Amino acid sequence: MLHARALIDLTVTLHRRTPRSDSLVILPDDEAAVGNAVDVLLDRARHSVNLTLPGSVEQARFGAPVLARRRMGGCKRNVRLLCTPHGLNAQLTRAAKRGAGRVETRVTRSALAEVLIADGRFALVRADLQGDGDCVLIVQDPAVARTLDLLFAGVWGGAMPPAEHVRVNQRLSSDMARSILDRLRDGTTDAVGAREIEVSLRTYRRHVADIMRELGANSRFQAGMRAVELGLLSSED
């Protein structure tokens, strides 16, 4: 997961291991300075632009400039946008559509830091560092940027397109589905689960098969964990 604290700690730790003094630059969280840094990074991009938004696009430092550049043709690369359900608002959806289909969006419940990565070689990370306050880290060390890109890819692989996210949440929001998901997460056997929610074993197994198909899960336990990732269930007992 792209946890903000883990990303920041990783970035700073890897920076300290490299002899290059310019591998990490700290900018103040100033709109003009950040906007200029975003422009420079987008100009450097030759293959890919990956962006994460932990909240709404209005709250983001990187999101609005990237989508504006994309909309006006100033960003020639496809943008992969990873956001939380909170960030998937109407304005973000419209902005992505105006990007002529070159903004691919996926939704995750994972905790995200605000990160912008170009070609897996350069990155911007928004951070709150002790002693520096809110700031933006400009990562120019390829090894660090590549590590951030791999973390992005890991979360991206488990995230859903917006339409699928909405559909799965709607299909699995019934009391019956949630009761079964609770039992799948806890490892309850089919026989016990059917008895607890007072349905036949055959009916219970049919519901389980439907849920696993909706979640793309290969096992009952995986279905329960997937439901937690999507926010359909709490991880707490």
Side-chain angles (χ1 to χ4, degrees):
M1 295 183 185
L2 290 175
H3 290 286
R5 187 72 257 167
L7 270 178
I8 295 165
D9 289 346
L10 171 66
T11 301
V12 174
T13 298
L14 291 180
H15 164 63
R16 288 170 178 166
R17 293 177 182 174
T18 178
R20 292 177 54 194
S21 59
D22 62 344
S23 63
L24 182 66
V25 179
I26 299 178
L27 285 180
D29 195 8
D30 173 77
E31 184 174 352
V34 172
N36 182 66
V38 169
D39 286 342
V40 170
L41 186 139
L42 293 180
D43 288 339
R44 288 183 176 184
R46 294 293 178 266
H47 306 290
S48 66
V49 175
N50 294 332
L51 171 66
T52 66
L53 294 183
S56 67
V57 70
E58 297 90 348
Q59 298 169 324
R61 279 288 190 237
F62 309 150
V66 170
L67 293 176
R69 279 278 299 265
R70 183 70 205 87
R71 187 166 61 249
M72 294 184 297
C75 176
K76 303 298 185 182
R77 311 303 158 202
N78 291 348
V79 176
R80 292 198 302 176
L81 174 61
L82 185 62
C83 66
T84 63
H86 176 60
L88 191 67
N89 55 28
Q91 180 175 335
L92 177 59
T93 302
R94 288 196 300 270
K97 288 181 178 177
R98 285 197 299 267
R102 299 187 68 178
V103 177
E104 184 181 359
T105 306
R106 289 194 184 180
V107 186
T108 179
R109 291 274 181 174
S110 298
L112 299 177
E114 190 175 352
V115 182
L116 177 62
I117 309 167
D119 295 343
R121 297 173 56 234
F122 311 101
L124 301 178
V125 180
R126 192 174 178 188
D128 181 6
L129 296 182
Q130 187 175 6
D132 292 294
D134 290 338
C135 60
V136 170
L137 308 178
I138 303 177
V139 180
Q140 301 181 88
D141 184 289
V144 178
R146 178 59 178 163
T147 300
L148 297 178
D149 205 40
L150 289 173
L151 288 171
F152 179 96
V155 181
W156 180 268
M160 289 184 170
E164 184 180 354
H165 171 80
V166 172
R167 179 182 60 78
V168 168
N169 275 268
Q170 290 175 341
R171 290 286 298 271
L172 300 182
S173 61
S174 68
D175 291 340
M176 171 71 76
R178 288 181 179 274
S179 294
I180 294 176
L181 283 168
D182 275 328
R183 286 157 178 79
L184 294 178
R185 177 198 59 193
D186 296 339
T188 304
T189 64
D190 289 355
V192 172
R195 185 166 61 251
E196 288 178 347
I197 64 175
E198 299 180 343
V199 297
S200 70
L201 181 58
R202 182 176 180 179
T203 297
Y204 185 89
R205 285 177 171 167
R206 187 178 70 249
H207 282 300
V208 169
D210 290 342
I211 289 171
M212 290 177 62
R213 183 170 56 254
E214 286 289 344
L215 294 175
N218 297 319
S219 69
R220 284 157 165 74
F221 181 75
Q222 185 184 35
M225 293 299 97
R226 185 83 171 113
V228 172
E229 292 176 1
L230 295 173
L232 297 170
L233 293 178
S234 169
S235 58
E236 299 177 358
D237 294 332

